[in-house]
Amino acid sequence: MKQFITIASAICLMSMLHSCATIVNASKKGKTEVFLIDAPGDIQASSNGQSLSKTSEVFAANGRTNGAVAFYTTAVMLPRKKRATLELYSPSTGQKATVALKPKLWGKMVIADALLTAGIGWLIDGPTGNLLTLKPRLIDVPAAMAGKPRSKWRSQGKLKRQTKRGIKKG
């Protein structure tokens, strides 16, 4: 009987953890952030002819003994289930860039569903689109504005590491 109660408790806990993740994703109304790394302050973004509002999102944080340091970067929110074309323009430099974004499986959510809910989360997140995110998620704005092809951009991992190193020094 103790084993049954332990297993039932674990299943309930996993379901509650998964429902929290689903609620957080639902609060974004089917959209996901696309981070504009090293973007000029006057960057303008649009997608499929519609102007996008920019937000300042926490990209990385570093806890320190004298307080926490957070790095904010410019981000735009786009629907995660559809392909999108992101147009960027900087009036100060006069440069433009166009980036094609595609929905792809979000590996972290797939793994979280497998581990936390023993796969049950896939039944909810699959149809709702919570397993998807737009790729590339980090846009190398200077490279895109310079007209470099996607293959010549800094890698997603390098962009993350560089940004996190920046806040450690700050």
Side-chain angles (χ1 to χ4, degrees):
M1 186 66 174
K2 279 187 171 184
Q3 289 179 341
F4 175 75
I5 291 173
T6 304
I7 292 170
S9 299
I11 290 172
C12 288
L13 178 64
M14 288 187 281
S15 298
M16 287 189 314
L17 289 172
H18 182 267
S19 63
C20 290
T22 301
I23 289 169
V24 168
N25 281 334
S27 70
K28 294 181 180 182
K29 299 178 182 167
K31 294 186 176 187
T32 189
E33 305 95 354
V34 175
F35 296 99
L36 307 175
I37 306 297
D38 295 335
D42 65 345
I43 192 88
Q44 297 173 358
S46 62
S47 176
N48 303 328
Q50 293 184 335
S51 182
L52 300 171
S53 61
K54 299 178 297 183
T55 62
S56 182
E57 298 285 336
V58 174
F59 179 73
N62 181 27
R64 293 189 175 183
T65 56
N66 60 351
V69 177
F71 177 80
Y72 292 85
T73 190
T74 304
V76 293
M77 299 290 281
L78 290 165
R80 71 178 74 189
K81 289 185 183 181
K82 298 186 245 177
R83 289 178 179 254
T85 302
L86 181 64
E87 295 96 18
L88 303 172
Y89 174 67
S90 173
S92 63
T93 62
Q95 294 178 309
K96 293 181 180 183
T98 303
V99 180
L101 303 169
K102 298 177 187 175
K104 300 269 180 148
L105 276 180
W106 187 8
K108 290 179 183 177
M109 186 60 88
V110 172
I111 292 169
D113 280 351
L115 296 177
L116 295 177
T117 67
I120 296 169
W122 294 327
L123 298 174
I124 298 166
D125 288 338
T128 61
N130 285 344
L131 292 176
L132 298 174
T133 191
L134 290 175
K135 297 288 183 168
R137 191 149 185 236
L138 308 176
I139 307 296
D140 188 355
V141 175
M145 294 282 197
K148 292 182 181 177
R150 173 84 177 87
S151 61
K152 300 289 183 191
W153 289 8
R154 294 174 282 181
S155 71
Q156 299 285 292
K158 194 172 202 175
L159 287 170
K160 284 181 193 175
R161 285 188 302 276
Q162 174 184 337
T163 304
K164 288 181 180 179
R165 265 196 308 270
I167 65 159
K168 285 180 183 176
K169 292 177 185 174

